[in-house]
Each structure stands twice: as structure tokens, then as C-alpha cells.
Amino acid sequence: IHLKEKGYAFLDLNIERETISEINEEFRKEIKQMTVPADGRLEISSINNKNFYNKLASTKNVFNSEIIQILEYYYQASFKLLNTHIYRTINISKDDGQEAFGSTEYWHNDSSTVDSLKLFILLNDTEEKNGPMHLIDKNDTRKIIKNGFSKYKEGVSNGVIENKCNVIKFVGNAGSALIADTNVCLHRGDIPEPSFYRDMLVFYLSVSDNPFKGIVDEDCVKEQYYGFKRLLN
């Protein structure tokens, strides 16, 4: 009910500690081989990448019966997984003009298909110092956008949204879960304090005619469609 009314919902459950530990172990093994990008976001995506679910096999264990039931209740149908992302955001200095995390430090929405949802899982204990995800509900989002909205003007942190809206922050223990319609809820990622970071697992979901039977590697590597592109597919 909260998800339909507000556009987001914190799930009253935690993913099993063993599953989170296994995902973290696999993820940390992979990022050891990566160079930290200038925007401070180390990300691995399943889009066009079938090896994702081989190297990060434990991500398949997240979809327990509770989560499946919640998603099926929301859709009043079944659902499918389009792709999976796992990333670490670290502290970045803005003195050099670099936009953090591919500019997702600014308030924005995803402008994807209307049936899409994102399931977010915290992989490390997350507080203010870790730079948590921020979001506002869809009603506040409507008001902000109705009055005119520019990502690089009203979308700056500590600006109009913080002053006029109830900002929700995704903080909690590792394994905490959030479902959000990021098309109708403005959201942003905060910048962690120096020496802190935030690890997140994200599943991109859509409605389906077929029952969900778990993650199938070759079926969960599709790109989602944004903006004008979605009208052409």
C-alpha cells in the first residue's frame, strides 16, 4: 500500500546475513581488479554481461518468498528482472568540478517505463557518513516538477527540495531493503565522508506475464529504456 501511495517502501525484512556476506566477498574480489573512476563510483552491471551472475552468483539468493510475494502483490501479476547492478560509492572532492557518481549526486528521476521498479539492498551498514541514498515521495515530486525542475538548478543538494520536502534517507544495517519507483520519486546519492563508502545492490524490475522462477543468466542482462528511447522499443 505504501509503495503505491508514496512510490517507495522500506521492506520489513532483512536479507539473510550469510547471503550478504557471500555477495560482499564476491564483490570485493571483483573491485580489487578495478581502477577507481574519477566520479567515485565502482560499478559492475549485468547489462550485456552474462558473466555477471557467474562472478556474483550469490546475488541470485536475494529473491526469497517474501520479496516475491511483495512484488507480485504490487503488480497484481508476475514480474521479471531486467538487470542487476552492484556498486561502491566513495568520497570525491568537488573542487575539481568532477560530477560524483555519473551526476547522480543531483536530484533526478529515471524516466524509464511506467511499470519499472528498483529493489535496493544495502551491503554495508549505512549511516549519514556513508553518503546514503536520498529520496522524496511521488506527491512531493509532483509538486517540485509542476513548479519547474532543472537537475542542475533545483536538483542541487541542500536546495529547494531539502527546504520544501520531506527527504527520506536510506540508512540501516547491511541487508536492509527498499523498493522504489524511481521514475516518480526524485532521488539522489549523497557523497560519503572521507574514508567512508557505501555498497549497494540494485535490481531493475518490470511486470511480466510469466511467473518469476529466479534469476536466469541470459534473461537478466537487458538494458532498460530511458527517455525518448523507450518510445522506440
Side-chain angles (χ1 to χ4, degrees):
I1 294 174
H2 198 277
L3 179 57
K4 287 184 179 293
E5 290 181 351
K6 300 291 187 179
Y8 74 93
F10 294 101
L11 301 189
D12 188 21
L13 57 87
N14 277 69
I15 310 304
E16 291 184 7
R17 186 179 298 273
E18 182 179 355
T19 296
I20 296 299
S21 295
E22 290 172 350
I23 294 171
N24 275 320
E25 183 177 349
E26 292 168 351
F27 177 51
R28 288 166 184 166
K29 179 181 178 181
E30 292 303 312
I31 61 175
K32 279 183 179 178
Q33 307 169 38
M34 296 174 65
T35 301
V36 178
D39 71 352
R41 176 163 164 157
L42 295 105
E43 180 173 14
I44 307 172
S45 169
S46 74
I47 295 176
N48 299 320
N49 177 17
K50 294 180 181 179
N51 287 328
F52 179 95
Y53 300 107
N54 290 325
K55 295 180 177 180
L56 294 150
S58 296
T59 58
K60 295 183 177 183
N61 299 327
V62 168
F63 285 91
N64 57 35
S65 58
E66 284 184 275
I67 290 178
I68 292 172
Q69 186 177 20
I70 290 168
L71 290 168
E72 289 178 341
Y73 179 80
Y74 172 82
Y75 281 120
Q76 292 296 293
S78 196
F79 67 94
K80 59 186 174 184
L81 175 64
L82 293 180
N83 55 57
T84 307
H85 304 261
I86 187 168
Y87 56 82
R88 169 172 292 182
T89 52
I90 63 172
N91 177 265
I92 178 174
S93 172
K94 299 191 67 179
D95 294 339
D96 58 4
Q98 174 70 48
E99 293 183 355
F101 325 136
S103 83
T104 60
E105 62 169 311
Y106 295 96
W107 288 97
H108 66 282
N109 59 18
D110 290 345
S111 301
S112 187
T113 52
V114 296
D115 62 320
S116 61
L117 290 175
K118 282 184 177 178
L119 170 62
F120 299 89
I121 311 291
L122 293 179
L123 296 179
N124 65 315
D125 294 346
T126 300
E127 307 172 17
E128 285 279 352
K129 61 189 177 184
N130 300 96
M133 175 183 173
H134 294 52
L135 74 158
I136 58 175
D137 70 28
K138 66 181 186 181
N139 299 311
D140 276 343
T141 296
R142 285 194 195 103
K143 294 174 186 175
I144 292 293
I145 291 177
K146 184 178 180 180
N147 292 327
F149 177 80
S150 168
K151 179 177 178 179
Y152 293 101
K153 186 179 178 182
E154 289 82 12
V156 298
S157 61
N158 297 315
V160 63
I161 292 177
E162 281 83 358
N163 291 326
K164 294 187 176 182
C165 302
N166 178 33
V167 176
I168 297 98
K169 299 179 182 180
F170 187 22
V171 295
N173 296 327
S176 297
L178 165 71
I179 297 178
D181 184 340
T182 51
N183 305 299
V184 300
C185 292
L186 285 166
H187 56 286
R188 61 178 290 269
D190 205 8
I191 300 175
E193 295 179 9
S195 78
F196 289 93
Y197 63 89
R198 171 171 54 92
D199 288 350
M200 184 92 84
L201 175 64
V202 185
F203 297 100
Y204 205 102
L205 306 160
S206 181
V207 72
S208 175
D209 294 329
N210 301 314
F212 181 74
K213 296 182 178 179
I215 294 176
V216 179
D217 295 17
E218 58 268 25
D219 293 338
C220 304
V221 294
K222 300 178 178 65
E223 184 177 1
Q224 65 274 14
Y225 298 118
Y226 292 119
F228 185 67
K229 184 178 179 182
R230 63 183 172 161
L231 302 179
L232 305 177
N233 291 274

